[in-house]
Amino acid sequence: MTGDEAPRASPDALLAAAERETRGKLRIFLGAAPGVGKTFAMLQAARAAKAGGLDVVVGLAETHGRAETEALVAGLEILPRISIPYRGRLVPEFDIDAALRRRPQLLLVDEYAHSNVEGSRHAKRWQDVQELIVAGINVWTTLNIQHVESLNDVVQRITGVRVRETVPDTALQKADEIILVDLPPDELIQRLAEGKVYVEDTATRAVQSFFKPSNLTALRELALRRVAARVDSDLLERMQGSAIEGPWAAGERLLVCVGPDVAAERVVREAKRLADLLDASWFAVTVERPGRAVAAGERSRLEAGMRLAESLGAETRSLVATDIAAELLRFSRFENVTQIVIGKARLRRRFRIRTSLADALVAEADGVAIHVVTAETPERPSKLRARLRLPPLGGIAGYVAALASVGLATLVGRGLTEFVALPNVSMLYLLAVLVPAIRYGVWPAIFGSAVSFLTYNFFFIDPIGTFTVARPHELLALVIFLSVAVLISTIAGRAREQTRAAIRRIRATRRLYEFTRKLSALPDGASVAEAATVEIHATLGRAAVILLEKAGDLAIAAAWPPEDRLDTASMTAARWAFDHSEPAGAGTGTLPNAPWRFAPFSGASGSSPIGVIGVERPSAGDAGFDAESETLLATLAEQTAAALLRARLSTEVASARTAAETERVRNILLASISHDFRTPLASILGASTSLLDYGDDIPEATRRDLLGHMRDEAEHLDTMVRNLLSMTRLEAGALDLRRDWIDVAEVLNRAVSAARKRGATQSFTVDTATDLPLLFADPGLIDQALANVVGNAVRYAGPSAKVTLSATADDEMLEIAVTDDGPGIPPEALPHVFEKFVRAARTSGDGGDGSGLGLAITKGIIEAHGGTTLALSPVPGRDAGARVLLRLPLGTPPDLEG
């Protein structure tokens, strides 16, 4: 953000505010010590809230037998506790399920740090509270300062007592409001003496050990500091969420500017000491100027200073700006920084031609204190170039090119002056200066300027052939020429360096873009890991490896150049990096002698690592990565992690879809079978029961009719079972064809006869050519396929429809057509009629709706014979009706082939 831009709200602060709106609110009554009245204060506030119309429920309140506290609980709704068996007895605990069912507007849950008994859903009560908050329930709870995890060691040193039940600081940070409950030490000790905290014997021992005035005073200070830090954090978040710039001096926040000089580490240590004195959070910031090349020594000092700051607890940031002072002040306003620490400029006053950083900050800072750290002994660089921080001298090729360019300009100038009187030959030399400046940098260009100055004087200024100058105005022109040449060469050289830096960044950005696009197209995690290692190797010029978690351990997923194993030290570093979510190996503080450097990566911020990326150190003398390589490696790791997570999620989604489809098919099949089998089974059961109970009284004709009906229904069941078995064999590819010669006219007539036996009321017509050839196919399967098609027509065409079965043949194929004049197939269902479990609304029936497998089985049987199926609706030449075509190859028996 430049100085002309309006302040913008922090996206992180806005997201945090949006997240709070979707969950319950947590208020913690924080006590400086036991007995200060946390539960009492919470119950008092709860009674006031209930009087205001709020639905208040006591989930759990520990009164410890105190009459005043018990009186406050009276009249409030109390959730019954749940009894959990533990070591032969029942232990009453907070019932989180009852609280979730009750869902009050406000729930009181005492003792935030309490450890739940074994067998509870959560090990700690603060975890119960977090689940309630996520469910949208507002919770009030209590906590003593000695139970905060980060203060555990401090409390032990103060009181000599190790507190076993602690709450992590992250759980405390989730509180929307913290209310400090406190009493002066003398008053608290008096309450102890009166038995208002513990019984008499326990109170006496407590005063002699924990409740000493010095201990209580120290605990009060810890509580006050923690609440003050929370207030400062809330203030900063509200400022950033509302786009309000600081500083607001409600709490100290410190910033140290780390530079590439030798005093960087000393400045960082001074800033740490100042932050400790102020008990302030602090930032370590480095500002990079676009286009400015940083020498290797400066880069290493800068990185060492930033690593030191991070190890001392600073939050590190890297900024980019041309105006360092303005960028530091912008960052300070955004982060509510109140004090800035910088190092003193190394340049002496006589060499400083522009305002120092300290002067610029003091001139522009408003409400921010500036601390300047001076060096213990002034640094005296022996070389002017080192003092002036000039660019490197470059190679010999640049100086040769400068000489050649000046020589060419001299030849051209001499040639032109032989024919034309040129008033200003110096322009040619200015052009000659630009060539080495653009191609080789600043110093070759300055060298070219000096040579041009001498050459121009020698060849073109009277007296020619000497370095003397006859007229004063020509000397002035010569000096101006030299100044302009040096200025042009310097500007051109710096423009070249900035262009090269911009090109490097563009190439890096393009590589990252292409890498991201490539990852997005890869189908699985193995391909992603392989592409990532190739890209890291190409970008950093070092061997790369990716290890992913497998069966509880790390295994190599990809490496480039290909590698199938790592040495013991490297694997130890990789496991440490994975387990602790921190870099390990070469160039780090953990296992620095390992030949590889490993960094963990995860799919989302704050989540557990899913693997580690390793980069090999080329040699033992390599100190590690520079900041640019670190940033590039981190970016590649993030992209790789996102792609791996996407691939994993895609696999899980595909598996879930397969499982869902399998479950859907299973449910449809069960529903179809249960429905379709029920009707014929009910008919068989009814007829058989009648024959058994009234057999002697039933007339013979009726008895035969019942037996025939039982046979028909049993045949129907047999058909459905054969359909199911056929579908199973078709999907398994195990359909066995037993071919024989078939008279197709007989097949059509058998299909019509079977339909009429099943009670079909439609009129049927069989139309076949007189010279129809025989078909070489499986008779039973063809009968089943045609019966399914005819049954489908009977089921959906209507009771008075006309159904025509016809067969025609050409030299190679025989075509069977089943046509009806019913309402036809709905257009949306027509493309799917041969799929499993596809059924349309039935207008008439034959005793069952069918399982939706008939036409799918028909298609499978016909295709197993090498044929095809086709459904048409409406029938060509009509406005309605449906036609199903079965095309089969006529076939040749094995003994006639050849």
Side-chain angles (χ1 to χ4, degrees), residues 809-834:
D810 54 25
D811 293 339
E812 296 180 354
M813 303 293 290
L814 183 143
E815 182 179 87
I816 300 174
V818 179
T819 307
D820 66 70
D821 60 354
I825 304 171
E828 65 274 8
L830 186 61
H832 309 287
V833 293
F834 290 105

Side-chain angles (χ1 to χ4, degrees), residues 539-792:
T539 303
L540 301 180
R542 304 186 181 190
V545 63
I546 290 180
L547 296 93
L548 300 178
E549 186 179 16
K550 184 178 181 181
D553 196 7
L554 289 178
I556 295 178
W560 194 264
E563 181 69 60
D564 59 355
R565 64 183 302 274
L566 295 173
D567 61 279
T568 304
S570 298
M571 283 303 301
T572 302
R575 292 189 183 98
W576 198 96
F578 181 81
D579 294 337
H580 296 82
S581 299
E582 293 180 8
T588 69
T590 303
L591 301 172
N593 295 325
W596 289 76
R597 171 194 174 93
F598 295 95
F601 60 89
S602 58
S605 177
S607 61
S608 300
I610 61 176
V612 295
I613 288 182
V615 179
E616 189 178 24
R617 181 172 58 188
S619 63
D622 188 1
F625 296 92
D626 56 18
E628 187 173 352
S629 298
E630 291 272 10
T631 303
L632 189 57
L633 180 60
T635 304
L636 293 173
E638 290 176 2
Q639 298 294 334
T640 303
L644 285 171
L645 185 61
R646 175 192 55 78
R648 181 179 297 179
L649 291 176
S650 298
T651 303
E652 293 176 356
V653 168
S655 300
R657 285 177 177 171
T658 302
E661 178 64 18
T662 302
E663 182 67 15
R664 185 185 72 85
V665 170
R666 187 180 69 86
N667 291 337
I668 292 174
L669 183 60
L670 290 175
S672 299
I673 291 174
S674 62
H675 180 275
D676 296 339
F677 279 30
R678 187 181 300 117
T679 301
L681 285 174
S683 299
I684 293 172
L685 183 61
S688 60
T689 302
S690 299
L691 290 172
L692 289 173
D693 294 343
Y694 309 105
D696 296 338
D697 300 329
I698 297 176
E700 181 65 23
T702 304
R703 187 162 50 249
R704 292 182 61 83
D705 184 61
L706 287 175
L707 290 171
H709 187 65
M710 290 173 61
R711 181 196 62 194
D712 293 341
E713 294 298 338
E715 290 177 350
H716 180 46
L717 282 174
D718 179 65
T719 300
M720 286 191 289
V721 170
R722 284 193 293 113
N723 276 341
L724 291 173
L725 292 175
S726 298
M727 179 53 63
T728 302
R729 289 198 298 270
L730 283 170
E731 291 186 338
L735 193 65
D736 184 20
L737 298 182
R738 299 180 180 179
R739 297 176 183 264
D740 199 356
W741 291 109
I742 303 173
D743 186 346
V744 176
E746 292 182 4
V747 173
L748 299 183
N749 286 313
R750 283 200 300 270
V752 171
S753 175
R756 285 173 175 163
K757 283 184 179 180
R758 291 280 300 125
T761 60
Q762 292 82 0
S763 61
F764 291 91
T765 302
V766 176
D767 182 13
T768 60
T770 56
D771 57 346
L772 194 67
L774 297 177
L775 178 66
F776 190 67
D778 188 312
L781 292 178
I782 296 299
D783 282 346
Q784 183 180 355
L786 186 59
N788 288 340
V789 177
V790 173
N792 198 70

